[in-house]
Amino acid sequence: MDSATTIVIFGASGDLTSHKLIPALYENFVKKRLPPRTQILGISRTPMSDEAFRKRLLSSSSEVLGKENVASSWSEFAPSVHYYAADVSKEASYPLIEQAVRELEGSNPSRRIYYLALAPELYLHTIEYLGKAGMARPDGGWRRIIIEKPFGRDLTSTRVLNQKLHAVFDESQVYRIDHYLGKETIQNLLVLRFANTIFEPVWNRNFIEHVQITVAEAGGIGSRAGYYETAGVLRDVFQNHLLQLLTLIAMEIPSRFEANTLRDEKVKVLDAVRLPKSDDVEQYSVLGQYQGYHSESGVAPDSRTPTFAALRLNIDNWRWQDVPFYLRSGKAMAAKMSEAVIQFRCPPHMIFDVPRGETLHCNQLVVTVQPDEGIHLTFMTKVPDAGMKLHESNLYFHYRDSYEKIPVLDSYERLLLDAIKGDASLFIRQDEIERAWQIIDPVIEGWSARTASSLLPQYPRGSWGPAEADALLKQEGRSWVNGASLHHDR
Ligand code: BG6
């Protein structure tokens, strides 16, 4: 008989479980991608029967996936979902949890994933107690642990967490998740670069003038003030999502598409990122706060938590020397949109007249991660019947046009399946996460000293951030590309 696979979710009553993990597992179940005899056990403090837990999940999964999509197979999926009430902050709970898992597994050797969908302050204890209860030891079948972000809040706390983790789990058992890596277009960046020959010869300082990466969100912080006030935009998305995008754009070509070779190259890029200095943060970065942030529920009236940041990084290696990478992200911006703009150099000598008042548009490659996943390349064309008049034209690729019948997957669907298969390519390794903190820490440190005595620049809701962010690029002779994919003609 096949071994059982059990996914034990710590933090089962939370939003992540109901709105991300369970819908993703359900979709995998419907597509018959889960191993036979997969069971899901939710753990949290609230007393609840299996039935009540399933009912909650049916309602949240219907919200996420649509009622009609869930109706079809929920009755087949639901019996594999179970619940056990336990206080994970207490060591005594773990032998009981172990017993509950064993009852589900029966006498066969089983494989297990522990998913920490918990408040991060519970990570250390949960890991330690899993170890003490012997639950991390492979017992005829593997044991893996998936850990949600935030993984640490600076380099020091991340090192402590990694040490504690390694006292219990081997690195090969650890899957640190960054849901951005599960996005199709992010993986498509690797395909674009490494499955085509035309980009590689120009993918360097000789042809690329600068790179911009934007993760813009239209919404504010909503009901997440409790978390957001302790994080701010640099911890929330720069240390992880934006730096991950940077590594995929800037890394060298790995010899194989395999977890460690891929991650070796990503770490090399992070190692080459020039470490920012905290004493001159205003030279290369800007913070901001959206107007009205102080009136959000749970936000302190004098809060200095940044909801926007823009940052220039430099990569000290042969490929990227002197090519700035500008990273920008904010809440309450003009649109929800994540994209990377590769700005190519202008022709070294222009033989055509550019009419007065117009500027030459030099080639751009735009990779849109969301919402309209795709790639477009701009280039100059001649306007017909108008002498030598030039016009910027586009080549487009859009997922929704090219793969109409295949919907773009939710990241968790892909990442959960990868963890079950044991493929860690799209998960973050220990050295990678530590280096990412090492890059972001000095920026946070530099600004916290400065913002102690002054408020952050404000920006109107629905804008592209504070004027200071425009000035950051302007002083270097550049400007932000605001949603290249949002307003081009098709
Ligand atoms: C999360 C952050 O990691 O990413 C959120 O905590 C942010 O603050 C979210 O809204 C953005 O993810 P996505 O997939 O909506 O771009």
Side-chain angles (χ1 to χ4, degrees):
M1 198 180 197
D2 282 319
S3 308
T5 303
T6 315
I7 301 165
V8 184
I9 304 177
F10 293 95
S13 56
D15 206 47
L16 180 69
T17 304
S18 52
H19 286 84
K20 289 289 178 190
L21 305 183
I22 296 295
L25 287 165
Y26 174 76
E27 285 282 297
N28 278 318
F29 172 82
V30 172
K31 294 175 187 165
K32 304 201 182 326
R33 290 179 178 162
L34 293 180
R37 303 192 57 227
T38 297
Q39 314 249 33
I40 299 158
L41 178 64
I43 314 273
S44 62
R45 247 186 340 201
T46 325
M48 212 178 339
S49 65
D50 283 1
E51 263 328 301
F53 186 48
R54 290 170 189 161
K55 213 165 145 203
R56 270 170 82 133
L57 299 178
L58 170 61
S59 137
S60 55
S61 301
S62 305
E63 260 170 51
V64 176
L65 303 170
K67 238 185 181 146
E68 48 314 331
N69 294 328
V70 176
S72 57
S73 306
W74 186 263
S75 57
E76 291 155 54
F77 173 69
S80 60
V81 180
H82 310 268
Y83 183 80
Y84 185 77
D87 182 349
V88 297
S89 66
K90 303 251 165 10
E91 187 178 345
S93 301
Y94 288 75
L96 302 173
I97 297 173
E98 167 69 10
Q99 201 183 326
V101 185
R102 284 210 179 259
E103 272 166 29
L104 286 182
E105 292 167 345
S107 53
N108 297 303
S110 70
R111 304 150 171 173
R112 283 189 208 165
I113 289 190
Y114 303 117
Y115 199 118
L116 303 199
L118 291 167
E121 50 279 15
L122 291 168
Y123 287 177
L124 285 176
H125 279 321
T126 305
I127 291 162
E128 182 191 340
Y129 299 154
L130 280 169
K132 286 192 171 157
M135 295 172 75
R137 262 196 318 272
D139 181 13
W142 46 253
R143 303 283 183 264
R144 295 183 186 137
I145 182 163
I146 305 183
I147 307 180
E148 263 298 329
K149 69 168 273 266
F151 192 97
R153 54 175 286 108
D154 52 21
L155 179 60
T156 312
S157 56
T158 299
R159 282 192 173 142
V160 170
L161 184 52
N162 275 329
Q163 272 161 13
K164 297 270 181 207
L165 194 54
H166 288 163
V168 176
F169 292 91
D170 183 74
E171 177 65 21
S172 62
Q173 296 174 278
V174 178
Y175 291 69
R176 295 175 195 80
I177 208 163
D178 180 326
H179 79 280
Y180 257 62
L181 289 180
K183 292 186 190 275
E184 302 275 14
T185 346
I186 297 224
Q187 294 154 40
N188 195 39
L189 251 170
L190 296 174
V191 175
L192 177 82
R193 290 195 55 204
F194 306 143
N196 295 296
T197 47
I198 60 168
F199 298 109
E200 177 51 23
V202 295
W203 208 261
N204 55 51
R205 65 191 304 272
N206 299 325
F207 293 90
I208 294 178
E209 204 274 328
H210 76 271
V211 175
Q212 298 185 10
I213 303 172
T214 298
V215 170
E217 296 189 76
I221 57 157
S223 55
R224 295 172 77 217
Y227 155 74
Y228 202 83
E229 275 282 274
T230 64
V233 68
L234 289 165
R235 289 193 176 92
D236 188 39
V237 294
F238 275 72
Q239 182 274 338
N240 35 65
H241 311 330
L242 281 130
L243 281 184
Q244 283 300 317
L245 266 159
L246 175 142
T247 58
L248 299 180
I249 293 169
M251 69 192 274
E252 295 299 317
I253 304 157
S255 51
R256 288 183 303 282
F257 190 66
E258 185 268 320
N260 275 332
T261 44
L262 186 80
R263 295 187 296 179
D264 286 346
E265 296 305 337
K266 289 170 70 194
V267 173
K268 281 188 212 161
V269 174
L270 292 175
D271 273 341
V273 170
R274 190 181 308 157
L275 286 184
K277 293 202 177 67
S278 50
D279 48 15
D280 63 351
V281 269
E282 58 280 279
Q283 302 296 317
Y284 60 80
S285 65
V286 162
L287 298 188
Q289 210 175 48
Y290 62 82
Q291 283 167 0
Y293 178 68
H294 289 145
S295 327
E296 299 277 21
S297 138
V299 171
D302 59 349
S303 166
R304 309 298 211 254
T305 306
T307 61
F308 173 96
L311 164 68
R312 173 181 24 79
L313 290 175
N314 290 85
I315 301 178
D316 287 329
N317 63 17
W318 277 49
R319 191 188 281 269
W320 297 115
Q321 193 62 46
D322 296 331
V323 179
F325 280 67
Y326 298 102
L327 276 49
R328 166 177 73 152
S329 180
K331 299 272 185 202
M333 289 179 70
K336 177 156 176 76
M337 185 257 347
S338 300
E339 71 186 14
V341 177
I342 317 294
Q343 176 66 61
F344 288 91
R345 292 191 185 284
C346 292
H349 168 62
M350 190 59 181
I351 60 168
F352 304 110
D353 287 339
V354 177
R356 194 184 287 277
E358 285 185 22
T359 43
L360 177 68
H361 294 263
C362 307
N363 303 123
Q364 275 177 355
L365 179 73
V366 180
V367 178
T368 307
V369 174
Q370 59 193 22
D372 185 5
E373 293 86 352
I375 293 173
H376 70 257
L377 177 67
T378 70
F379 55 97
M380 298 308 287
T381 52
K382 178 189 174 309
V383 179
D385 195 18
M388 264 305 169
K389 190 162 188 275
L390 309 188
H391 174 72
E392 183 183 64
S393 300
N394 278 280
L395 274 179
Y396 303 119
F397 158 78
H398 285 266
Y399 266 82
R400 68 182 146 92
D401 299 339
S402 304
Y403 299 108
E404 223 176 314
K405 293 208 178 66
I406 313 178
V408 172
L409 282 193
D410 181 76
S411 318
Y412 282 92
E413 196 177 326
R414 163 73 193 257
L415 293 173
L416 275 162
L417 204 58
D418 281 2
I420 293 171
K421 288 187 194 146
D423 181 353
S425 311
L426 301 177
F427 293 83
I428 318 292
R429 209 168 57 185
Q430 175 203 352
D431 45 357
E432 201 176 347
I433 199 142
E434 291 184 4
R435 180 67 186 179
W437 278 118
Q438 212 175 344
I439 295 168
I440 295 300
D441 271 359
V443 188
I444 297 177
E445 220 178 277
W447 279 113
S448 63
R450 280 160 178 79
T451 53
S453 54
S454 60
L455 289 175
L456 294 173
Q458 303 278 299
Y459 59 96
R461 272 179 171 271
S463 70
W464 287 101
E468 285 81 349
D470 296 332
L472 178 74
L473 261 70
K474 198 162 177 217
Q475 74 197 14
E476 303 186 3
R478 304 182 177 101
S479 55
W480 291 105
V481 178
N482 288 332
S485 57
L486 297 175
H487 38 67
H488 59 69
D489 43 336
R490 308 182 72 192

